[in-house]
Amino acid sequence: KDDVEVAKLMLRCAARDRANLLDFEAIDPYRLLHGLPGREIDQELATLPPNIHLDDTDLEVLVDAHQQRLERRSGTIETDKAWLQEGTTIADLYQRELHFYRTAGPVEWQEDQAGNHTWKWRQPPNTFWDERRKVYIREQKGVDPSLELKEMRQHLLDICRMGSMVKVGRIQ
């Protein structure tokens, strides 16, 4: 029965050029997340112009006729019980989704012995933690930023050869 009501609602929406349900104020993610008030779907559909070729009663008649045809079918196919035992269970699917959401993004979730969950920021790739500044620092190629350079001396030798002119000619 709920499927039939949803089918009728979705056909009414599509007939009024609103095929995406997220376009309605009642289901708009932004409004839902921020708790903003919105009109119900039926209220918003009433403000939209109906389809010139099909009105709501014609759509309901089509859905009801299709439902009656499905109910009159006598040869329903039974699902094989052995086939239902194969594959993934709902619990496995739930655990995989839970693991995915715990490992996706910049946060790592850990579970302690009591079953409580805590989180910490995941270390970005090619970075290390600077304890003094309390931030992650990107590693540079060939240079270790944590290397102590206080006692080391650096010498730079720069050789420039210039050919200059003297009285006897050019110096090579």
Side-chain angles (χ1 to χ4, degrees), residues 44-102:
E44 202 167 341
L45 281 177
T47 62
L48 296 172
N51 191 317
I52 57 173
H53 303 292
L54 285 172
D55 60 352
D56 293 343
T57 55
D58 292 339
L59 292 173
E60 288 183 13
V61 167
L62 287 172
V63 172
D64 291 336
H66 182 68
Q67 181 186 11
Q68 288 173 0
R69 265 190 314 236
L70 291 177
E71 288 174 355
R72 279 185 286 179
R73 271 195 196 166
S74 60
T76 57
I77 301 172
E78 288 290 323
T79 305
D80 185 16
K81 299 295 181 191
W83 180 79
L84 288 176
Q85 299 301 322
E86 296 177 10
T88 307
T89 63
I90 299 293
D92 292 340
L93 184 65
Y94 173 74
Q95 288 300 324
R96 278 194 217 143
E97 286 294 312
L98 190 62
H99 176 71
F100 171 75
Y101 284 112
R102 284 184 184 160

Side-chain angles (χ1 to χ4, degrees), residues 1-61:
K1 181 174 164 102
D2 290 336
D3 294 342
V4 174
E5 295 302 319
V6 170
K8 289 177 182 177
L9 174 67
M10 291 183 73
L11 284 174
R12 284 176 43 213
C13 295
R16 288 174 171 80
D17 270 342
R18 287 275 180 100
N20 190 353
L21 288 178
L22 295 177
D23 291 340
F24 290 99
E25 292 178 6
I27 311 174
D28 182 30
Y30 181 80
R31 288 182 180 273
L32 289 174
L33 285 174
H34 296 287
L36 300 174
R39 295 180 292 177
E40 292 295 321
I41 294 177
D42 291 326
Q43 294 172 344
E44 202 167 341
L45 281 177
T47 62
L48 296 172
N51 191 317
I52 57 173
H53 303 292
L54 285 172
D55 60 352
D56 293 343
T57 55
D58 292 339
L59 292 173
E60 288 183 13
V61 167

Side-chain angles (χ1 to χ4, degrees), residues 127-140:
T127 60
F128 68 96
W129 179 253
D130 185 6
E131 193 61 40
R132 186 175 50 88
R133 296 188 322 190
K134 304 287 187 203
V135 294
Y136 287 107
I137 299 176
R138 185 176 302 267
E139 292 178 355
Q140 298 173 357

